[in-house]
Amino acid sequence: MPDVYDALAAPARRAILDALAERADQTLFELVNRLGSDPATALTRQAVSQHLQVLEDAGLVERRRQGRYVLHTLTPEPLREIARRWLTDPQEQS
Amino acid sequence: MIGIHLASVFVTDQERAKDFYTRVLGFELRNDVDLGPGGRWLTVGNPGQEASAGVPAVELLLEPAGHPAVAPYQEALVTDGIPATSFSVDDVEAEHARLVELGVTFVQPPTAMGPVTTAVLDDTCGNLIQLAQMNG
């Protein structure tokens, strides 16, 4: 299972997180279009779907079914873990 | 010259589709002909649009979803939020507000996507529909 560092290593997956940060509960279609608005981040639907799986396995994206739609939301808790691990002032710990 | 005269969307319920596409979305009823067990020849058109220069006005056929391929087709598209049909609007924010007031479900609120601002709604008959406003 990929950990959060593997998930963040790919520029395409960081672009997907940027797009997801714009709004919660996005369909795959919306996400692909947001990325496609900028040629630098454009990806095929299949590529976005595969990257989403990696992000979901790493705990960075939540996928849920609402009625007939599948929606994706950024879940940044693993990033807070990173901040808690290293972004602590050593002075405060002494 | 070949002109687009008819496009179709498969609808799971023609009576509900007739109401949604006319009363809610605002298209005009063009044909509602009983075809017996095959359902109805049900078409709608753009308000006020008539044939011009020998080209007939565009009609949208609200076609019964009886064929076994339709249900898995609709389900796969809707799961991923994909609208197979797109309508143009002059003010997508205003249409979004009007339709939400009428109880329409939007899967995607108006969002700038490069040269267009789009929104995606559920037609209650098995389809997602995109509304698109050209920017600038």
Side-chain angles (χ1 to χ4, degrees), chain A residues 23 25-38 45 49 65-66 68-72, chain B residues 74-75 78-83 105 107-109 111-114 118 120 122 125-128 130:
Chain A
R23 193 175 86 82
D25 290 339
Q26 294 186 40
T27 63
L28 183 59
F29 176 80
E30 176 175 346
L31 190 52
V32 169
N33 279 347
R34 282 180 185 273
L35 292 162
S37 299
D38 179 352
R45 185 157 54 235
S49 189
R65 178 171 279 275
Q66 177 179 300
R68 301 170 63 223
Y69 333 115
V70 171
L71 305 174
H72 305 84
Chain B
Q74 286 187 328
E75 184 185 350
V78 171
T79 295
D80 284 343
I82 300 171
T105 298
V107 180
Q108 180 207 300
T111 308
M113 300 284 189
T118 63
V120 179
D122 189 323
C125 302
N127 307 287
L128 297 178
Q130 177 169 274

Side-chain angles (χ1 to χ4, degrees), chain B residues 35-96:
Chain B
L35 298 178
R40 287 140 61 186
W41 184 258
L42 179 63
T43 69
V44 297
N46 294 319
Q49 188 177 36
E50 295 174 3
S52 77
V55 178
V58 173
E59 291 183 31
L60 184 68
L61 175 64
L62 304 174
E63 188 164 6
H67 192 283
V70 175
Y73 162 80
Q74 286 187 328
E75 184 185 350
L77 292 181
V78 171
T79 295
D80 284 343
I82 300 171
T85 302
S86 182
F87 300 136
S88 71
V89 291
D90 52 5
D91 184 341
V92 69
E93 292 284 354
E95 285 296 337
H96 174 257

Side-chain angles (χ1 to χ4, degrees), chain A:
Chain A
M1 182 172 140
D3 68 9
V4 64
Y5 306 104
D6 292 326
L8 292 170
R13 288 198 284 274
R14 297 197 294 273
I16 288 172
L17 294 181
D18 288 337
L20 284 171
E22 300 282 327
R23 193 175 86 82
D25 290 339
Q26 294 186 40
T27 63
L28 183 59
F29 176 80
E30 176 175 346
L31 190 52
V32 169
N33 279 347
R34 282 180 185 273
L35 292 162
S37 299
D38 179 352
T41 59
L43 291 167
T44 65
R45 185 157 54 235
Q46 290 82 352
V48 174
S49 189
Q50 287 167 10
H51 284 309
L52 277 172
Q53 186 63 57
V54 175
L55 291 166
E56 188 184 3
D57 290 345
L60 289 165
V61 169
E62 181 194 65
R63 181 198 317 241
R64 69 186 180 90
R65 178 171 279 275
Q66 177 179 300
R68 301 170 63 223
Y69 333 115
V70 171
L71 305 174
H72 305 84
T73 297
L74 175 66
T75 48
E77 186 56 30
L79 303 178
R80 292 200 185 92
E81 290 294 333
I82 293 175
R84 275 195 282 273
R85 181 169 170 187
W86 284 303
L87 292 186
T88 306
D89 187 343
Q91 302 296 323
E92 292 176 8
Q93 294 190 329
S94 57

